[in-house]
Each structure stands twice: as structure tokens, then as C-alpha cells.
Amino acid sequence: MRPAAPLFVEPVTLAADPRVTRRAARSLGRADRHALVLWLAAHIGVLIYMLLVEPDGGNVFERLTPWDAENFIAIAEHGYDGPPGMPDPERLTAFFPGMPLLLRVLDPFFADLRVAIVLVSFVAGAVAVVALCRLSEAARPGSGPWTVLAFLLSPFAVFLYAGYSEALFLAFALPAWLLARQGRWTGAALCAAGASLVRISGLFLAFALIVEFAIGRYGLRHPAGRRRVALLAVPVLPIFGYLGYQWWRTGDMLAWKHAEEVFWGRTAVWPWEALGNTWERSLTEPVLAASYRQEICAAAVLAALTVALLVRRRWAESAYIAPQAAAFLTLSSFYLSVGRASLLWWPLWIAIGAAGASRPWLYALCLAVTAPIMAVNVGSFTTGAWVG
């Protein structure tokens, strides 16, 4: 009997021949096509479910663009000062400019930017699932579609279909990681810079790329490694550029962080305080009780994932995940958007995909838990309830 493969598979260095790598990148393999079919099927399924949950619930694009999407559109149309009469435009500084800039470029082609932002997520998500599939296939051949399916049925997958920034971030971040593993550091740095323009999470990606460069086969150990060191600064340039812009505009270089503190309660506390505050909210706010408990579960998964990666000595992935654990578990007075951020933890989805390839029963058990939660969250989000 063939022994079961480890759940957290070891990273694999991808093909070194640049001609082979570029040719493979331009063509879609069988696993890539499966990933895209799953992506399209997931969108069709979400649309059908939206119509079943609330058949007369109004415009589909309107239901997919509340909250953050409204802020992105406001920035795209009016800048960071917000539309005239907006009571709290200061909160807009919490949102990085990548999505608003893209929407501004698309504005002449769309009468309604709600349509544009949903289409951005659709196209970006397609890029992301192909890159995720390729990373998974490199780690364990045959696991790519399993990984993509688990990703698309994750509890907070609704944010991949809505007008939010997760899909756009992943459309830059996952190719960046893939290119770094192939030793194509110029492309990796540019893609990571795009990710940093979209979300502050790009800072964690930049740190992980530094670690990968330090220990990976195609980093410092490569004959051309020292000539590529300067590329590691590229991913953080958009972050400093945005901080500098807000300093010029408001006189506060950390305006985005202060906006999160004021409007979203992201202030530093001890980890047990954040946990206690979240649990207390789940008891005192019945309407949001399920959402807060999902946040607690997501925080537990994040902590477990961090420990697992460190125990396995997966240093580059740990450099990406561990800072997120520190930020989410200590830099907010209660857990907020931890579940939504789980979409960005690709080592988790690759591990689940590997389980699908080697332990189908464990994979089925995982999806039996996540898929119903995902369906409930799609229904809740698209009918106006906050789910993360």
C-alpha cells in the first residue's frame, strides 16, 4: 500500500529553463483549464443561489457591491476627499489605491462602476485560480483542481465574486509567488508591487519574497543572485508611495492606519483581549453572532497554519503567514476580516488540495464543513448582512 503523503507538502522549485517556463506560462494546460471551468461554474452557482435566496432582490451588481465596493467606487469617482456631502470621508484613506485607479481607467467604458468592479473581480479571479492551480501542481502533481475547488468553496469565497479587492490582490500575489519559485525575479517583483498597490497585505508578500530570495535555489545561491537584490525593494515602493501621498494630502503618513483605528477599531491589544472582545460581541450582538464566531474559527485556523508552517520549516511561507497572524490577532480590539483574509492564505488551500489528491475522505470532510458555510455567507452577504 502506498503511504499517505504529508498534508503540508514540501515546496518544489519550478522549471529553470526560461524558454520552457515562458512557453508554459503562455499556454493553458489541462489543470489550468479545469481551474477555469471550476471558476466559471462557481460564478454560475453563486448567481443561481442569489436568485433563489432573493428572487426579487434587485440588481445583481448592486447586491455584490456593498460596503468596501462603495468606498472603492467613491475614491475612483471623487478621490480620497470623497463625494460632496460625505459625512466621514476620512475613512477612505484606509483603502489602498490599486482598485480605485483601475476603476478610474475603466470609467469611460462603463455607465455604472458597480458593473466594472464585479467584472474586475471576475477576470482577476480567473488569473488567480490558474496561478493557484499551477502552484499546487508544482507541489503535488494532480492536486491543482482539488486546491481550486476547495478555494472556491471556502467559507468566505463570496468576497471573490463581490466587488472587493481580494481577487485583484491574488491576481498579482499568486503569479508573483509562482514567478519567484521559477527564478524570474523581475516579473515576481513587478507583480508583487501590483499586489502592494491593492492591499497592505503586499507588505507581507514582500517580506516572504525576501526570505524566499535568501534561501531559495534561484535567489542568493544563484550566480546572478547578487545582481537581483535590488529587485526586492520594488514590492514595497507602492506602499511608501501611498504613505507619502497621504502625508502630502493630510500631513499624516499613517492616515490609513489611523482611519482603521477610528472607523474599524483596529487598535493594538493583547491576543486574549481580542479573543475575549470578539466572543463578547458574539453574545451581545445576536444579529452578528454567527459572523463573530466565524471570525474566531478563522483566527484559530490562522494560528494553527502558522504553527504548522513553522514546524515544517517552511520559512518563506511562514514569513507571509506569521505576520498576518500577529496583525490580526493583536492589532485589532476584536477579530475583524480575519475570515475574509483566509482567501489570501494560499499555503492552506494548497495543503487542502494535497489532501484531496492523497486523502479523499479528509478532503470530503473538509468540504462538507466549508461548503454549507460558504452558501450561507453568500446568501447573507448578497441580502445585506455583514459576514466579514
Side-chain angles (χ1 to χ4, degrees), residues 69-95:
E70 294 171 346
N71 292 319
F72 289 131
I73 291 172
I75 298 168
E77 292 180 334
H78 304 281
Y80 279 95
D81 292 328
M86 184 177 184
D88 52 358
E90 296 82 7
R91 65 187 167 94
L92 296 178
T93 59
F95 298 91

Side-chain angles (χ1 to χ4, degrees), residues 360-386:
W361 65 270
L362 182 59
Y363 183 86
L365 180 62
C366 178
L367 263 58
V369 173
T370 63
I373 300 173
M374 179 266 194
V376 170
N377 284 342
V378 169
S380 297
F381 180 88
T382 58
T383 54
W386 177 70

Side-chain angles (χ1 to χ4, degrees), residues 36 92 94 143 207 216 250 256 266 270 287-288 295 317 322 335 365:
L36 290 173
L92 296 178
S143 68
F207 182 46
T250 68
W256 72 273
R266 292 191 184 276
W270 293 108
V287 174
L288 298 175
E295 293 285 332
E317 288 89 345
Y335 297 155
L365 180 62

Side-chain angles (χ1 to χ4, degrees), residues 328-358:
F328 281 117
L329 304 185
T330 66
L331 296 182
S332 182
S333 57
F334 62 97
Y335 297 155
L336 181 66
S337 301
V338 184
R340 176 149 56 103
S342 68
L343 296 169
L344 313 183
W345 307 338
W346 62 79
L348 173 65
W349 306 117
I350 291 174
I352 295 174
S358 59

